[in-house]
Amino acid sequence: MNRTGRGTGPGSDAATGRALAEELLDGRAAAVPAPGAGPDVWLAFAEQVRSRAHGGRRLPVPAPPALRLCHPRGWIREAALAEPGAPVELVAVLTTDWAAPVRDRARALMEDTLRAHPEATLRAVTPLALRLGRRSRGDWILERFEDALRRQAAAATPWWHLPGPSTAPGGTTAPGSATTADGAAAPGGATARVLAALLDCPDRQARQFAVRLALAGPGRADALECARRAAAEPDPATAALWTDAALAGPGSEGGAVIDVLIGARIPAVRAAGVTALRRAGRAAEGVSHLADSSGLVRACARWLVGQDGGDAHGHYRWLVRDPAGPSPYAVAGLAECGRSEDTDLLRGLVAHPVGPVRAAALAGLRRREAVVEDSVLLALLDDPAPSVAREASLGLLPAVRRLDPSYLAERLDVRGPLHVRRAAFRLLRARGGIHALRAAVALIDDWHPRTRTTARAAVCACQWQPAQFDGEADTAELAALLKRSAKLFDGYGLGLRRSRLGLKT
């Protein structure tokens, strides 16, 4: 996960916040998270300082203000709030403090900060306030920030809710500034700057919050601008808000709005654009979207073609027989039509020279519940295309008890292709018993992280009871497998499993 994520692994915002807290606790740094740091950085920073101090960690003397604001003792936190220069983000965190004196002083300080510097405070703290609103005492800060932004939105003139670029001194574009359509400085510019910053905020929840405020503002949203934002938005839920506004706004039937939606990256936005073609009188264009990469868009395109009196199934058969080579998405669309007469056509595509087409044909046959010989699917486990090997393994899952486990075990060699090894491991895990345990132990040191993690989880989940293997393995083999995987268990866990096998602990 990248540094803007909410995970706990290396490189996440939470890991960054904990690392900054450790540096401050060790006296190796005198700074707190940067002013533009995400909300999860601040939350992890505060939690790490307090938990380490609770655990007996001595704070540096004199302790920086940021450490005192996160101190486990309430009277120290309360005293730190009286000192000038407290980071507004840590003040926000303390508005949800369990100690009433700390909480009340932090809320009073936040009120003063909002009155003195409303624009800077709203831009910096809104993403954090949305996180804090989930806490048991977080209703105050969430309601306070919602009210502040809604009051500004209600007082603004109708143009604000979709702020555009303006011209700064010297003819350059000033980020976050607001102008009217003729380039004049617009009233309520501070409001526009706050909303503009939140609409482009890297935090997903803050963007959703800002979009809801923007679309609830006075006036009607510009359909084309909403469509552009929907197409550029990486978050599906936020993009859905922009899409609904684009299709509900005046001028939504115009070609430009629909074309922008159709060109979006998120499938749901493209599907909305394809569906809107009908009311725009452009239903004939549905044919060009039958082979979209998204199943949702393909379904909307089939509906659109049907509404226009066309035959989507016939178009798919023509696309699959294209001399230039079929698209794998056209093959998937043909299978989605659910016609029994297409089974033989899909079988023929299993031998197509292009890997994604072979994979789409296999997926289509599985979708149709068509019978494919085990020998054919077993041969495709060694296919050079990873997607083909994956689809072959999925097709073999119902027949896993009929397969030769030694044939699959031979494909677990770490020197072989990764996708072949993963396909064989999937089937052996589905078979269960000693064959699954042997495969998992063989892969506990695999170089591929996901394969290694899956194998180790399977080994740890095993009960190591001889009776569960139905005579497929003796105690000696189980003891050898346990010895190979002993590093995965602590002393108690290893001893417990040894005792289940009747071995000395």
Side-chain angles (χ1 to χ4, degrees):
M1 183 174 289
N2 58 31
R3 292 180 68 88
T4 61
R6 297 189 55 213
T8 59
S12 68
D13 274 3
T16 301
R18 287 191 293 270
L20 290 172
E22 289 296 332
E23 291 181 5
L24 205 58
L25 287 167
D26 292 340
R28 291 183 281 127
V32 294
D40 295 307
V41 175
W42 288 100
L43 292 174
F45 175 86
E47 178 62 28
Q48 183 73 3
V49 172
R50 186 173 298 191
S51 63
R52 295 302 297 272
H54 263 305
R57 177 76 171 268
R58 294 178 60 88
L59 300 182
V61 180
L67 293 186
R68 295 198 296 275
L69 287 169
C70 303
H71 199 279
R73 296 185 180 179
W75 65 271
I76 295 180
R77 297 196 301 275
E78 184 182 4
L81 285 169
E83 302 175 7
V88 66
E89 292 86 355
L90 292 180
V91 175
V93 173
L94 291 179
T95 62
T96 65
D97 199 276
W98 66 271
V102 178
R103 188 169 64 248
D104 294 342
R105 175 165 288 192
R107 291 178 177 180
L109 183 57
M110 182 59 68
E111 289 276 11
D112 295 341
T113 306
L114 275 172
R115 281 194 295 268
H117 310 286
E119 179 182 347
T121 305
L122 289 172
R123 293 177 64 172
V125 186
T126 297
L128 181 59
L130 294 173
R131 296 285 199 283
L132 295 171
R134 305 172 184 171
R135 297 186 172 183
S136 59
R137 302 176 184 88
D139 53 343
W140 179 89
I141 189 168
L142 184 59
E143 292 174 1
R144 184 68 186 86
F145 274 68
E146 283 183 350
D147 290 344
L149 284 168
R150 291 186 193 281
R151 281 199 303 269
Q152 293 193 39
T157 48
W159 56 264
W160 72 266
H161 59 287
L162 285 173
S166 69
T167 302
T172 59
T173 298
S177 58
T179 60
T180 58
D182 60 1
T191 300
R193 287 193 294 269
V194 171
L195 266 296
L198 291 178
L199 288 172
D200 296 325
C201 178
D203 184 72
R204 175 183 57 84
Q205 295 181 40
R207 286 201 310 277
Q208 283 190 27
F209 177 69
V211 171
R212 295 181 189 278
L213 283 178
L215 296 178
R220 299 293 297 274
D222 179 73
L224 184 56
E225 179 63 20
C226 288
R228 288 170 178 161
R229 288 186 173 271
E233 174 60 50
D235 175 55
T238 309
L241 296 175
W242 286 122
T243 303
D244 292 343
L247 294 176
S252 60
E253 296 181 1
V257 173
I258 295 176
D259 291 340
V260 170
L261 294 176
I262 288 175
R265 181 182 63 87
I266 295 179
V269 179
R270 294 202 306 276
V274 170
T275 304
L277 287 172
R278 181 171 182 262
R279 70 175 184 178
R282 299 166 55 184
E285 298 179 25
V287 173
S288 61
H289 302 285
L290 288 173
D292 191 272
S293 60
S294 166
L296 176 63
V297 179
R298 293 195 298 269
C300 293
R302 289 194 295 273
W303 171 84
L304 187 62
V305 171
Q307 292 294 307
D308 194 43
D311 179 16
H313 178 254
H315 282 289
Y316 275 125
R317 290 186 69 90
W318 179 83
L319 289 171
V320 168
R321 291 192 174 99
D322 186 356
S327 161
Y329 306 119
V331 177
L334 179 66
E336 289 164 355
C337 289
R339 303 285 185 88
S340 58
E341 61 264 30
D342 298 328
T343 301
D344 291 338
L345 183 55
L346 292 173
R347 290 186 195 278
L349 292 172
V350 171
H352 195 276
V354 178
V357 174
R358 296 196 300 275
L362 286 173
L365 290 169
R366 183 162 52 87
R367 181 188 185 94
R368 299 286 305 125
E369 297 184 355
V371 177
V372 182
E373 294 294 333
D374 293 351
S375 58
V376 175
L377 294 176
L378 283 172
L380 290 174
L381 288 179
D382 296 320
D383 194 279
S387 58
V388 177
R390 179 181 181 276
E391 290 297 337
S393 67
L394 293 176
L396 285 168
L397 285 177
V400 70
R401 287 287 176 182
R402 299 196 302 263
L403 305 181
D404 181 8
S406 62
Y407 179 88
L408 300 175
E410 292 172 359
R411 280 146 182 79
L412 298 177
D413 192 341
V414 71
R415 294 167 296 183
L418 171 64
H419 64 275
V420 175
R421 188 161 66 254
R422 288 178 60 83
F425 187 32
R426 179 181 295 113
L427 292 170
L428 287 169
R429 282 190 293 125
R431 183 184 179 94
I434 190 60
H435 304 291
L437 182 59
R438 289 169 183 161
V441 172
L443 296 177
I444 59 174
D445 292 319
D446 194 274
W447 62 266
H448 186 249
R450 184 174 297 179
T451 304
R452 183 173 64 246
T453 300
T454 304
R456 293 186 174 191
V459 172
C460 293
C462 178
Q463 296 298 313
W464 295 91
Q465 297 277 12
Q468 78 181 93
F469 298 105
D470 298 327
E472 294 179 317
D474 55 21
T475 303
E477 181 183 4
L478 292 174
L481 293 173
L482 181 59
K483 183 178 180 180
R484 289 175 58 187
S485 56
K487 63 182 179 182
L488 304 181
F489 308 104
D490 56 18
Y492 171 79
L494 181 61
L496 178 63
R497 288 162 176 80
R498 287 180 61 84
S499 65
R500 289 174 179 174
L501 296 176
L503 304 174
K504 292 182 179 180
T505 59

